[in-house]
């Protein structure tokens, strides 16, 4: 499958600040990337589908203005959590899909908002 | 609406035993069924995946059994080892990657006792 690099792995930020998470597809040109959120001991919940060169598609209930997604190139998608609050603390994971090889996930970003 | 139902929620197996995790889906348009293994603080890693044209797929100690008429699929881990202790997620999608989003089960926490 694709090689996916996600950074940072951990970030702690103050309430009210913004945090950017990067997801890079290192060996595959990804027109589409996916962003998930996972709370402790829960499953992965899809937040949005990131589309290269166009607007992201958000799942129902996910605030577009709070979770800004930019997919400016075929190898990079970014998720910015704006005006973060403690309830945004979670594990954020990106993934890349390949038609034949399925989906590969990044190593995740643990966000803690204090 | 939960489209992929996974059971059990947790499972304890002795070393050398067989671990069995079951999933059922509702959407007959799904045609790609992967299983993921996730260790704490890490992103999910693809274990094995199956498409509806086969009833079973085996890779090493991991086997997927697929029952299209019952809309069920299961993961069997033979000769379970303590290193297999992790959370396992089944998933489903239309298509195997690229633009189609995955729907995850709620996960099964597997503990293999030495």
């Amino acid at each position: 499958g694709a090689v996916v690099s996600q950074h940072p792995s951990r970030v702690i930020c103050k309430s009210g600040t913004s945090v950017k998470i990067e997801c890079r597809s290192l060996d595959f040109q990804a027109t589409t990337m996916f962003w998930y959120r996972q709370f402790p001991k829960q499953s992965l919940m899809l937040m949005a589908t990131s589309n290269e060169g166009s607007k992201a598609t958000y799942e129902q209930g996910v605030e577009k203005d709070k979770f800004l997604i930019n997919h400016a190139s075929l190898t990079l998608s970014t998720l910015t959590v704006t005006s973060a609050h403690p309830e945004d603390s979670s594990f954020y994971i990106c993934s890349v899909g390949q038609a034949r090889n399925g989906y590969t996930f990044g190593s995740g970003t643990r966000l803690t908002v204090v | 609406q939960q489209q992929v139902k996974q059971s059990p929620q947790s499972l304890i197996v002795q070393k050398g035993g067989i671990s069995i995790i079951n999933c059922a889906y509702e959407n007959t348009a799904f045609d790609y069924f992967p299983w993921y293994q996730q260790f704490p603080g890490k992103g999910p890693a693809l274990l094995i995946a199956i498409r509806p044209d086969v009833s079973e797929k085996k890779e090493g100690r991991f086997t997927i059994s697929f029952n299209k008429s019952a809309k069920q699929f299961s993961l069997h881990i033979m000769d379970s080892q303590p290193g297999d202790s992790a959370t396992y997620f089944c998933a489903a999608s239309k298509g195997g990657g690229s633009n189609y989003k995955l729907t995850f089960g709620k996960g099964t926490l597997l503990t293999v006792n030495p």
Side-chain angles (χ1 to χ4, degrees), chain B residues 7-13 18-21 86 108-112:
Chain B
S7 63
Q9 189 173 3
S10 63
L11 179 62
I12 299 175
V13 174
I18 302 173
S19 303
I20 302 174
I21 305 171
T108 297
L109 178 61
L110 172 65
T111 302
V112 181

Side-chain angles (χ1 to χ4, degrees), chain B residues 2-107:
Chain B
Q2 185 184 353
Q3 295 195 51
V4 180
K5 294 183 179 181
Q6 183 172 346
S7 63
Q9 189 173 3
S10 63
L11 179 62
I12 299 175
V13 174
Q14 292 299 119
K15 178 182 176 181
I18 302 173
S19 303
I20 302 174
I21 305 171
N22 301 299
C23 281
Y25 63 97
E26 299 171 2
N27 189 343
T28 54
F30 288 150
D31 62 359
Y32 176 71
F33 303 90
W35 284 91
Y36 286 88
Q37 178 189 58
Q38 186 180 31
F39 293 104
K42 303 294 183 183
L46 178 65
L47 266 180
I48 186 172
I50 198 168
R51 295 188 184 273
D53 53 342
V54 296
S55 60
E56 186 174 282
K57 183 175 181 180
K58 183 177 180 179
E59 290 184 0
R61 296 186 293 111
F62 302 95
T63 300
I64 297 180
S65 297
F66 186 81
N67 186 328
K68 187 174 181 178
S69 60
K71 292 188 287 185
Q72 296 175 346
F73 58 110
S74 60
L75 175 69
H76 291 60
I77 305 175
M78 311 299 288
D79 187 26
S80 298
Q81 300 295 314
D84 296 331
S85 297
T87 300
Y88 292 81
F89 293 96
C90 63
S93 79
K94 292 181 288 185
S98 180
N99 298 325
Y100 297 101
K101 52 189 180 183
L102 279 170
T103 299
F104 281 88
K106 290 192 173 183

